[in-house]
Amino acid sequence: MHKRIRDLREANNYRQIDIAEKLNMSQQQYQKYESGIVTPSINILVSIADLYNVSVDFLLGRTNYKKVVQSMYIAESIMKHMYYVNKHVPL
């Protein structure tokens, strides 16, 4: 998780102090999240996800799709395909 948080910050050309200010904390506290010394609370995770417009699942490494919409679209496509296969292919 900490690597994804750092990678997102760097990809968006932010400094640690910039993100720390947006999250109303010290740069030292934020640096602990990026280094993996401290695990962010769920509230901080949600704030970071909102800041970068990604899902919390992406931050946690549960998916490689950054946005919830992408995940939902893929799930919907799979469900439609499964419905079609089940309806048209005899078992």
Side-chain angles (χ1 to χ4, degrees):
M1 171 181 49
H2 61 277
K3 183 175 180 341
R4 287 199 174 186
I5 292 171
R6 184 190 67 229
D7 290 348
L8 283 167
R9 177 183 58 78
E10 291 174 349
N12 285 278
N13 297 313
Y14 285 122
R15 299 171 299 159
Q16 285 184 346
I17 190 67
D18 299 326
I19 303 303
E21 288 174 356
K22 291 177 184 295
L23 298 174
N24 296 315
M25 66 178 62
S26 70
Q27 184 271 333
Q28 291 81 8
Q29 178 63 37
Y30 178 76
Q31 186 275 332
K32 291 177 183 178
Y33 298 147
E34 280 196 8
S35 64
I37 294 171
V38 174
T39 301
S41 69
I42 191 67
N43 291 337
I44 296 296
L45 280 176
V46 169
S47 295
I48 293 170
D50 289 347
L51 178 68
Y52 294 116
N53 195 28
V54 299
S55 69
V56 172
D57 279 348
F58 176 77
L59 293 179
L60 294 174
R62 293 175 44 130
T63 182
N64 289 323
Y65 297 102
K66 289 183 178 182
K67 297 184 182 182
V68 176
V69 174
Q70 288 175 313
S71 298
M72 289 173 47
Y73 175 76
I74 291 168
E76 182 182 352
S77 295
I78 291 169
M79 293 299 287
K80 285 180 181 177
H81 178 73
M82 290 173 60
Y83 174 77
Y84 177 82
V85 168
N86 288 333
K87 188 169 181 149
H88 294 94
V89 176
L91 297 176

